[in-house]
Amino acid sequence: PFKYTSTIPDMYGYETYKYIWHDKMGAGLTFHNDKSEISITIKQGSKSYKLADGEYEVVMDGLADGETFNIKVDDIKKIVDDHFDNMDKDKKNDYSNMTVELTYNATVNENADTGRGANENGVQLEFSNNADSNGSGETGKTPWDTVVVFTYELDATKVNNHNKQLAGAQFRLYSDADC
C-alpha cells in the first residue's frame, strides 16, 4: 500500500482547482489499476469525505516519460465546497486544516531486486496555480517524493530433530493460520 497526504490550500478566488498525482513506479512494482483499491479522502477536523469513483480519473495513457499513471481530480474545490460547507457571510469557505489523502496499492513483482532502482516509487502533485485563470491555466508541481520498497533474500535450511539437513525439503511461507 502507498499513501500520499497533502494539505489543501486556500482555494478562495479560484473558480476551479485541479489536483493531479503523477506516479512513477520502478520495474519491480505493479500498480493495481482497480478503483476498489484506490481511495481519495478529504479531511478537516473530525469530518471526512471519500471521493466517489466518478469524481476522479485514473489516467494510464499519454503520460509523461517514465510515468506509470496519473490520478486526476478536475475540480477538487467544487468537491470541498459541496461537502465541507463552512461558508462565512461573504461566501468564503474555510479551507484551513484540510488535508487530502490518496491511497493505492501495488505488488512487488518478478523484476524486484534487493537494491533500490527497480523498487522505487515516486509521486508528484500538480495543482492549480493561478487564481485569475478559469482552471485551465497555469499549474504548479511539487518536487518528486520517492520511497523504496525493500526486498530481502531469505536463505533457509530445513533440518530434522537431530540437526541433520533434509535433502529436497521445501520451504513455504503462508499468510494465514490454516496454511
Side-chain angles (χ1 to χ4, degrees):
F2 291 95
K3 177 171 73 170
Y4 186 85
T5 304
S6 58
T7 302
I8 296 281
D10 185 351
M11 297 180 287
Y12 183 73
Y14 287 85
E15 288 183 37
T16 63
Y17 200 92
K18 288 182 186 176
Y19 229 72
I20 305 167
W21 292 270
H22 299 262
D23 195 282
K24 290 182 181 180
M25 284 193 177
L29 299 170
T30 301
F31 171 59
H32 295 195
N33 184 13
D34 180 346
K35 280 197 169 184
S36 70
E37 296 188 44
I38 299 169
S39 175
I40 302 171
T41 305
I42 301 169
K43 299 177 183 178
Q44 186 180 45
S46 61
K47 186 174 182 178
S48 67
Y49 173 74
K50 181 180 174 190
L51 274 66
D53 286 355
E55 292 178 311
Y56 67 94
E57 176 184 4
V58 179
V59 179
M60 301 291 294
D61 298 317
L63 303 173
D65 188 37
E67 291 186 10
T68 307
F69 65 94
N70 293 170
I71 296 179
K72 181 179 179 183
V73 179
D74 283 325
D75 190 1
I76 202 164
K77 180 182 188 306
K78 178 180 181 345
I79 296 167
V80 168
D81 289 348
D82 287 349
H83 297 281
F84 294 83
D85 186 3
N86 300 316
M87 301 286 183
D88 64 15
K89 63 179 177 44
D90 297 323
K91 298 289 185 192
K92 181 178 179 185
N93 206 346
D94 177 13
Y95 302 106
S96 61
N97 301 313
M98 189 173 287
T99 60
V100 60
E101 179 181 280
L102 167 67
T103 61
Y104 52 95
N105 294 311
T107 302
V108 176
N109 64 38
E110 67 278 355
N111 297 317
D113 63 25
T114 55
R116 286 187 60 121
N119 309 337
E120 289 185 347
N121 185 56
V123 67
Q124 178 183 59
L125 178 64
E126 180 179 356
F127 52 92
S128 293
N129 200 23
N130 183 353
D132 294 329
S133 166
N134 63 3
S136 61
E138 299 170 23
T139 58
K141 292 182 178 178
T142 63
W144 284 96
D145 187 16
T146 302
V147 297
V148 179
V149 177
F150 288 99
T151 59
Y152 301 90
E153 184 176 326
L154 178 65
D155 295 321
T157 303
K158 183 79 173 178
V159 295
N160 65 16
N161 59 347
H162 301 292
N163 206 27
K164 299 287 183 188
Q165 188 171 350
L166 298 173
Q170 295 183 355
F171 174 81
R172 290 190 181 173
L173 183 62
Y174 295 93
S175 62
D176 59 67
D178 297 331
C179 297

